[in-house]
Amino acid sequence: MSRPLLEVKDLEIQLKLSNKEMVKAVDRVSFTLNAGQTLGIVGESGCGKSLTVSSILGLLPKGTGRISGGEILYDGVNLAEFSNKQMREIRRKHISMIFQEPMTSLNPVYTIEKQLTETLRAHSRITRKQAYEKGLELLDMVGIPAAAERMKAFPHQLSGGMRQRVMIAMAVSSGPRILIADEPTTALDVTIQAQILELMKELNQNLKTSILLITHDMGVISEIADHVAVMYAGRIIEYAPVKVLFTNPLHPYTRGLLRSIPRLDREIKDLYSIEGTVPPLGEMPKGCRFSGRCPDCMERCKSQDPPPVKEGDHEISCWKYANA
Ligand SMILES: Nc1ncnc2c1ncn2[C@@H]1O[C@H](COP(=O)(O)OP(=O)(O)OP(=O)(O)O)[C@@H](O)[C@H]1O
Ligand SMILES: [Mg+2]
């Protein structure tokens, strides 16, 4: 079997809290992204999704976060050991990222043309004119109508959906092998969300860009992912191919997430929500981290941490499925 494009092994991230206490915010996180595929990372707010992907790009909060264990193998090379300079090269050519709110990543005082052509010229030796032509092509590719006019616009003159398309155009302009998208559609309304997801699917198919998609929306995952990692409180608690996860979810947390997807055949009032909240950093329960909220909690769950158990390509950390 060929080597995975990205392989995260036992990743551990420590954060320094404001009281100077060091806590593990991400722990025992392992997943793989194969070339041309889309991996979805899903989980409630605060479970460590953004920290995990920021660490892949060497963008953990400065002075606060650090990788304290594990490996991030990109094409077999460990990015966790890269210098800042080497990581800049990775971000420039190999792995790009788009964020939830494109307005924060676009510079409000420059036109789209300036930002797009400068990004393009930073990646390859081309003239201003060639960069402009390429910019038009990219805007066209991401479905921006009247691209020449949009080039002259400032970010605030575009709608949220258009801004996200511009960000995607910039992110793919260097021909990255991996596109990391951190909640790329959360700030958009539902129709635009669907269009942006469709665009990402096209990029995945046409440009063969592998995608790491972070979301808290199971519906989005079902649309676009090949594999899914479900995170809870800094850990991956279930990991499987998307079809397996949706037809046979095992972890009580995953089941809860799936029951909370709105469906046409269900009344909104019947929509399920998981009781309680994610335990705060530094106050992780001794046993299973979900035990305090789990409808199926058993005695041992409160005192013993369940190890990950693998059955084929379905991995789960839950005492219901562990024999030991
Ligand atoms: N710069 C930081 N300083 C202190 N704590 C942080 C920092 N960044 C993240 N955290 C904490 O680390 C934990 C994981 O955060 P992270 O941003 O990875 O969550 P997330 O899963 O991306 O959530 P969301 O869905 O809200 O984006 C949270 O408890 C968060 O408060
Ligand atoms: Mg986040």
Side-chain angles (χ1 to χ4, degrees), residues 10-13 24-30 231 233-236 289 305:
D10 286 323
L11 179 68
E12 198 182 290
I13 298 171
K24 253 191 244 170
V26 167
D27 183 27
R28 212 172 70 186
V29 161
S30 302
M231 277 190 89
R235 291 234 176 109
I236 290 177
R289 294 178 174 194
D305 197 7

Side-chain angles (χ1 to χ4, degrees), residues 176-250:
R177 294 175 73 195
I178 301 175
L179 177 66
I180 298 180
D182 191 353
E183 310 249 11
T185 59
T186 310
L188 305 171
D189 69 47
V190 181
T191 352
I192 310 293
Q193 262 185 27
Q195 291 170 8
I196 297 288
L197 287 179
E198 196 49 45
L199 170 62
M200 290 183 44
K201 256 197 235 171
E202 279 169 29
L203 294 174
N204 175 240
Q205 276 155 16
N206 302 340
L207 305 179
K208 306 275 176 271
T209 316
S210 308
I211 296 178
L212 193 53
L213 174 73
I214 291 114
T215 175
H216 54 251
D217 185 335
M218 276 291 198
V220 166
I221 292 284
S222 71
E223 283 287 311
I224 187 165
D226 297 296
H227 285 79
V228 193
V230 182
M231 277 190 89
Y232 185 78
R235 291 234 176 109
I236 290 177
I237 50 96
E238 186 159 8
Y239 182 50
V242 73
K243 279 206 186 85
V244 173
L245 194 98
F246 277 81
T247 51
N248 187 26
L250 296 178

Side-chain angles (χ1 to χ4, degrees), residues 9 14 19 30 48 59-60 78 84 111 122 140 149 168 195 225 232 238 246 255 288-289 308 313 315-316:
K9 282 189 188 169
Q14 280 190 344
N19 62 5
S30 302
L59 292 176
L60 284 174
N78 188 7
N84 288 340
T111 60
D140 195 47
E149 265 164 54
I168 294 175
Q195 291 170 8
Y232 185 78
E238 186 159 8
F246 277 81
R255 289 172 182 239
C288 171
R289 294 178 174 194
D313 46 11
E315 194 180 290
I316 174 151

Side-chain angles (χ1 to χ4, degrees), residues 50 53 57 59 95-102 104-105 163-173 176 178-185 188 196-197 199-200 203 211-214:
S50 294
V53 296
L57 285 167
L59 292 176
I95 309 178
S96 294
M97 181 146 169
I98 51 170
F99 301 88
Q100 179 172 335
E101 181 32 80
T104 54
S105 320
R163 283 199 290 265
Q164 196 56 292
R165 285 176 194 268
V166 171
M167 282 314 299
I168 294 175
M170 285 198 199
V172 298
S173 65
I178 301 175
L179 177 66
I180 298 180
D182 191 353
E183 310 249 11
T185 59
L188 305 171
I196 297 288
L197 287 179
L199 170 62
M200 290 183 44
L203 294 174
I211 296 178
L212 193 53
L213 174 73
I214 291 114

